[in-house]
Amino acid sequence: MIAHGKDIKIFSGNSNQALAEAICRHMGAQLGNAESGAFSDGENYVSIYETVRGSDVFVVQSTCSPVNDNLMELLIMIDALRRASAGRITAVVPYFGYARQDRKAKPRDPISAKLVANLITRAGADRVLTMDLHAAQIQGFFDIPVDNLLGNPVFVDYYLKKFGDEHQDMVVVSPDVGSVARARAFAQKLGMSLAIVDKRRQKANSSEVMNIIGDVEGKRCILFDDMVDTAGSLCGAAQAIVESGGATEVYACASHGVLSGPALERIDKSVMKELVLLDTIPPVPGRPDKIKYLSVAPMFAEAIDRIYQEISISKLFT
């Protein structure tokens, strides 16, 4: 018996039910009996069909596209659970939307990431479990505990198995200066050197590659980022390190595959051999064969179990 004496219950909205079911399978648990959807006028609704009084409840819901519908589902489900006297509510948000709006880039800009953090807290969540926030300081936007899991252990395991001893002759490449710290940590775990693509962004969703910092000539490279949205930056960086840097092969990986707009077409036509994503966002139908998904269900299952047992989750960061 767990010290706090509460039972555990896991619920899911509609954004990533497959991941929620996979988490439950790894934990040997059943997904909670609930329904969420929208009325004919577009308003969201949630119905919980089992008692949660005093339970330790986890709500799995990525705030991916359609972002606002999925966010409202999460907020309404948290509110329903709070009003049903749940003992503790943890919002499990594998992909945290609005994370790129984390500062004022120009006068009169909102800080939407902080607003969403306030909404989740005021809805009644007691803690948040997420993965690879776009900016780590978003944890400080919350007034409740936040556990920000890292996806790079999943990628490290994948690439060590894929390339074996050959990985020592490869290079990790950061697609922009802002991702250097993330890419450096990844490179250190793989025992690879690091290179950086320096670019100048001209307008939203477009960028101009300027030069390569580091030696990639004759090397196989792994581009590493936290998310792929329209894929313009990633595909441009891949082309630059081949044409300007002289790399022989380019692989890429990212935690969150947003894949909006022309992303699939760009990736299909790019010089990248393979793009590996995590399933924090559901796989996109009709995607090119070069896009592969790895599951984060085992990591989230262990994190949820450790939070439930009130023991440290620091093991998951190594």
Side-chain angles (χ1 to χ4, degrees), residues 122-315:
R122 291 303 297 269
D126 294 295
R127 66 186 304 126
V128 172
L129 174 63
T130 187
M131 174 169 276
D132 280 331
L133 288 168
H134 184 65
Q137 62 266 27
I138 292 175
Q139 294 174 85
F141 291 2
F142 289 87
D143 295 323
I144 55 178
V146 177
D147 295 305
N148 182 32
L149 299 177
L150 303 178
N152 68 31
V154 180
F155 291 125
V156 168
D157 184 59
Y158 173 76
Y159 284 117
L160 287 178
K161 290 178 179 176
K162 181 179 180 70
F163 295 112
D165 293 337
E166 297 176 12
H167 75 276
Q168 296 178 354
D169 298 321
M170 299 175 67
V171 179
V172 171
V173 181
S174 172
D176 55 48
V177 175
S179 299
V180 170
R182 185 182 292 111
R184 181 182 292 115
F186 181 57
Q188 287 174 342
K189 288 186 176 183
L190 281 171
M192 298 181 184
S193 56
L194 177 69
I196 304 165
V197 177
D198 180 32
K199 70 184 184 191
R200 179 181 302 145
R201 187 175 297 278
Q202 304 288 13
K203 59 182 180 179
N205 294 331
S206 68
S207 60
E208 179 184 352
V209 175
M210 301 300 291
N211 51 51
I212 314 291
I213 303 171
D215 180 21
V216 298
E217 187 172 359
K219 301 288 183 67
R220 286 191 289 184
C221 299
I222 302 174
L223 278 162
F224 182 73
D225 209 351
D226 67 316
M227 72 172 66
V228 180
D229 189 353
T230 60
S233 296
L234 192 72
C235 293
Q239 186 170 347
I241 60 179
V242 170
E243 294 182 356
S244 301
T248 56
E249 291 181 348
V250 180
Y251 300 83
C253 60
S255 298
H256 311 299
V258 180
L259 303 180
S260 63
L264 295 182
E265 183 180 356
R266 285 175 172 171
I267 293 167
D268 192 35
K269 294 179 179 178
S270 73
V271 298
M272 291 185 293
K273 296 283 187 181
E274 179 185 70
L275 170 61
V276 181
L277 302 169
L278 302 179
D279 61 351
T280 56
I281 297 174
V284 179
R287 60 190 179 275
D289 292 338
K290 65 174 63 176
I291 298 179
K292 179 175 182 176
Y293 282 86
L294 303 178
S295 179
V296 292
M299 182 176 286
F300 273 97
E302 185 169 356
I304 289 171
D305 186 55
R306 285 171 172 268
I307 291 170
Y308 172 60
Q309 296 188 56
E310 297 187 343
I311 59 177
S312 173
I313 69 166
S314 59
K315 171 190 172 185

Side-chain angles (χ1 to χ4, degrees), residues 17-29:
Q17 200 153 30
L19 176 59
E21 291 169 353
I23 290 171
C24 287
R25 284 196 298 273
H26 280 278
M27 297 185 66

